[in-house]
Amino acid sequence: MLKESIRSYDIAFRYGGDEFVLILYKATIREANIVLTRIQNKIDEFNAKVQKPYKIQISYGFAEYSPTSNLNSEDLIKIADENMYKVKKEKKKSRPSY
C-alpha cells in the first residue's frame, strides 16, 4: 500500500517492528498530507474488503528537511516520531470515553 501510494523516486522502508519511513523527495508537508490521504484511503478500502477481527490503522508524524538546517536523518526521524506521538495523543483525546 505504501509503495503504491508514492512516486517511483520516493522511498519507503521498514524502520523496525511496525514502523515505516517514507522519504518523499522535494515534498512539502502539504504534499505529504496528500500522500497520507492516499495511503489512508487504501487502508480503508482494504479494511472494508477484508473481513478480519481487526482493522489496520496507521499513526504518522512528519518532518521536513531544509538544506539550511543542520538536521541529519536521525534528527528528522526523531522529529517525525515526536510528531506521531502528538497525533496519537490528539486522537486519544478525541475518542469518546465509555
Side-chain angles (χ1 to χ4, degrees):
M1 286 184 229
L2 296 178
K3 290 229 179 217
E4 291 172 359
S5 301
I6 60 176
R7 302 166 296 192
S8 62
Y9 50 86
D10 292 329
I11 300 170
F13 63 91
R14 186 176 185 181
Y15 186 64
D18 60 354
E19 295 177 338
F20 293 82
V21 172
L22 297 180
I23 300 174
L24 307 175
Y25 182 70
K26 289 191 176 183
T28 63
I29 296 292
R30 183 177 176 275
E31 293 163 326
N33 270 299
I34 293 168
V35 173
L36 173 65
T37 299
R38 200 166 28 240
I39 293 167
Q40 187 61 61
N41 288 339
K42 287 184 182 298
I43 290 171
D44 292 345
E45 288 172 20
F46 177 85
N47 285 335
K49 187 172 34 171
V50 180
Q51 299 299 314
K52 298 282 185 184
Y54 56 85
K55 300 285 184 202
I56 293 177
Q57 297 179 330
I58 59 172
S59 297
Y60 58 90
F62 296 123
E64 188 170 12
Y65 173 77
S66 169
T68 59
S69 74
N70 292 326
L71 300 175
N72 61 32
S73 58
E74 288 179 14
D75 296 331
L76 292 166
I77 290 171
K78 183 178 179 194
I79 291 167
D81 196 48
E82 289 168 357
N83 287 331
M84 179 194 66
Y85 282 104
K86 287 178 190 173
V87 170
K88 281 180 136 179
K89 191 174 181 179
E90 287 301 313
K91 280 184 181 181
K92 208 176 221 182
K93 277 201 265 183
S94 66
R95 283 190 208 140
S97 57
Y98 298 99

